[in-house]
Structure formats: structure tokens, C-alpha cells
Amino acid sequence: MATETTQPSRLRPYPISAQGSAADALAELVKMFGPLPGGYIKIHAQVVESVPVQLELQLSSAQDFEQWRSALQIASAAVSLCATTGENVWLTAESVFHGVRVEVTGFGVPLTAEQANTPQADAPAVAA
């Protein structure tokens, strides 16, 4: 039997119009950077007031990621190399474009997770 709670949920249903700024930012990205590689695009809904809507662009290669990183003028030092077990290694970086947080991810990094997770002594920031 389900139990009811009297605590209000922290999640709030925002209307789709709340995602309009991310859709507008995406349209402007298409207009400004149309020749750049396409990818899997997600617009995250705002579910709590402190976390605004965001746009996510997932690309299939490190080369595609680098083109977008450069276009959005994201510093190399702001790039993170991420890895899980096996061969899942990717690059990620964030920027703000037209007032909307944009996360760019590039998969297909030619490293193993073990290589990516090996600390590098005095290594400079990851360059895509």
C-alpha cells in the first residue's frame, strides 16, 4: 500500500515555454555554426528553480568536440577528460551561449579508461 507524504516535492513542473531560451540558443548555434558537425542534442527541462534550463550537444568524436570547443571559445583548461570502465572515454566542457548553459561532450576518445584515469605528473590541461 502506498504511503502519502506531507512533504512538498522539490521538483516543480515548468511549462515547455521555460525551455524556450535553450531552443533559441540552439537556433542561433545553427545559424552561426551551421557547417560544424551535428550531434545528439538535448534540452534539459528546468525542474528546480536553482538549476536553469540547459542545452547539451553530444558529439561522436574528439575532433568534432574540438571544433565546437573552438567555436564556443571554451578554454582548453576548461576541458575535462572523463572515463568509466572499459573503453568509455570522453571529453566534456561547459560554456554559456546567449545566456544558456551549454555542455559539449565528445565521445570516441582513443584511450582506454585505464589510460585516461592514470594521473599525469605536472601535465598541462587536456587539449582536445
Side-chain angles (χ1 to χ4, degrees):
M1 176 177 213
T3 347
E4 289 188 39
T5 178
T6 56
Q7 290 184 336
S9 171
R10 292 184 186 188
L11 301 181
R12 179 177 153 199
Y14 285 84
I16 195 165
S17 61
Q19 294 171 283
S21 59
D24 292 343
L26 175 59
E28 194 60 27
L29 284 172
V30 170
K31 189 185 310 179
M32 290 178 68
F33 306 116
L36 290 183
Y40 181 74
I41 298 167
K42 292 171 35 177
I43 295 178
H44 294 266
Q46 182 173 7
V47 292
V48 293
E49 190 173 334
S50 62
V51 180
V53 66
Q54 88 174 38
L55 177 64
E56 186 175 339
L57 178 57
Q58 297 179 356
L59 304 156
S60 59
S61 74
Q63 293 80 13
D64 293 353
F65 171 87
E66 177 57 21
Q67 289 181 56
W68 276 101
R69 185 203 62 76
S70 179
L72 293 172
Q73 299 178 351
I74 301 171
S76 295
V79 175
S80 295
L81 179 64
C82 305
T84 58
T85 58
E87 302 300 315
N88 296 317
V89 181
W90 64 96
L91 299 166
T92 188
E94 294 180 7
S95 184
V96 175
F97 182 80
H98 286 255
V100 174
R101 183 171 156 243
V102 177
E103 181 179 317
V104 183
T105 305
F107 294 98
V109 175
L111 295 172
T112 65
E114 182 180 353
Q115 291 169 325
N117 287 319
T118 300
Q120 302 295 312
D122 300 322
V126 173

